[in-house]
Amino acid sequence: MKQIFLTTAAFLFSILFASAQFKLPALPYAYGALEPYIDSTTMRIHHDVHHAAYVKNLNKALEKYSELYKKDLTELLGEQEDLPMEIQTAVRNNGGGVYNHNFFWKIMAPAGSTKISTKLEATLIGNFGGVEAFKEAFEKAALSRFGSGWVWLVASPSGKLQIISTPNQDNLYSPGSNPKLKAILCLDVWEHAYYIKYQAKRAAYAKAFWNVVNWAEVEKLLNEPYN
Ligand code: MN
């Protein structure tokens, strides 16, 4: 009886403890939902292996500082320079990796399921001269990023949009970035995001990406209040 109690207690404790850690969110759609533009094999490996590893390694880095499991991810990333020195790099890389992939899955959707609203179109025209001009500038930034990283469409509180690029798993929460900006769209340009289908053709991947952008989500993010 005592043994059963102890086993049950250990099990419950493990659930409580595990629930406090950062989690791998499920994809908001099936692995094959973005076909043929992003293939299901890539999505499966990207989410189940790469994204999962960032979550696992973030949790591992925080093991000695388990009170940090209670924080929101953006809160943790926002104060990464105040964290104990020995976990700063791990939080920057793995916490950044978790945040960026959470964001990336959210701003994609099956091809044809959303489109640019008249209002968002006017915003893109106002900032870039046209939707096509915006896409070209974004694709250019994707190609210009040397090595691994991300391309972002960001908004300033005045409503001005700009395209920026970050190395590795950096984002707007990384040291040295402008805290006033808000991300509304991103593209993962790590080779793991496209190599199975596109091999070295990053440009083709960036062009195909437009078919699976969740424009409704982009507009929603644009309309959300600034932190
Ligand atoms: Mn990735």
Side-chain angles (χ1 to χ4, degrees), residues 66-214:
S66 58
E67 71 279 2
L68 295 173
Y69 291 138
K70 296 192 195 95
K71 289 189 180 287
D72 286 335
L73 184 56
T74 51
E75 192 189 355
L76 182 71
L77 292 175
E79 51 191 51
Q80 54 187 286
E81 285 171 295
D82 302 322
L83 295 173
M85 200 61 111
E86 64 168 339
I87 62 168
Q88 284 189 11
T89 303
V91 169
R92 183 174 188 161
N93 292 338
N94 296 293
V98 177
Y99 172 88
N100 293 351
H101 289 89
N102 290 353
F103 197 103
F104 188 42
W105 309 139
K106 198 170 66 167
I107 58 82
M108 293 193 287
S113 62
T114 70
K115 59 176 192 169
I116 302 179
S117 71
T118 313
K119 191 168 168 235
L120 183 57
E121 185 180 25
T123 306
L124 291 172
I125 292 169
N127 279 276
F128 301 99
V131 175
E132 284 314 307
F134 156 66
K135 288 180 177 175
E136 274 170 33
F138 193 92
E139 288 169 33
K140 196 173 163 210
L143 286 181
S144 309
R145 165 51 51 200
F146 182 77
S148 299
W150 293 75
V151 182
W152 305 84
L153 177 61
V154 303
S156 69
S158 66
K160 185 174 160 38
L161 301 186
Q162 56 175 310
I163 295 162
I164 64 163
S165 156
T166 56
N168 305 314
Q169 294 297 352
D170 279 4
N171 51 46
L172 291 178
Y173 295 96
S174 301
S177 61
N178 183 347
K180 293 199 184 80
L181 299 174
K182 174 175 78 171
I184 62 170
L185 177 71
C186 69
L187 177 63
D188 188 343
V189 296
W190 282 59
E191 283 186 347
H192 69 223
Y194 62 87
Y195 213 84
I196 293 171
K197 183 176 174 72
Y198 295 95
Q199 290 84 48
K201 301 185 196 91
R202 189 190 282 185
Y205 159 69
K207 212 171 262 306
F209 170 64
W210 300 120
N211 293 289
V212 292
V213 170
N214 184 342

Side-chain angles (χ1 to χ4, degrees), residues 5 38 41 49 65 101 128 139 171 219:
F5 173 77
I38 300 182
T41 305
V49 180
Y65 307 94
H101 289 89
F128 301 99
E139 288 169 33
N171 51 46
E219 187 159 14

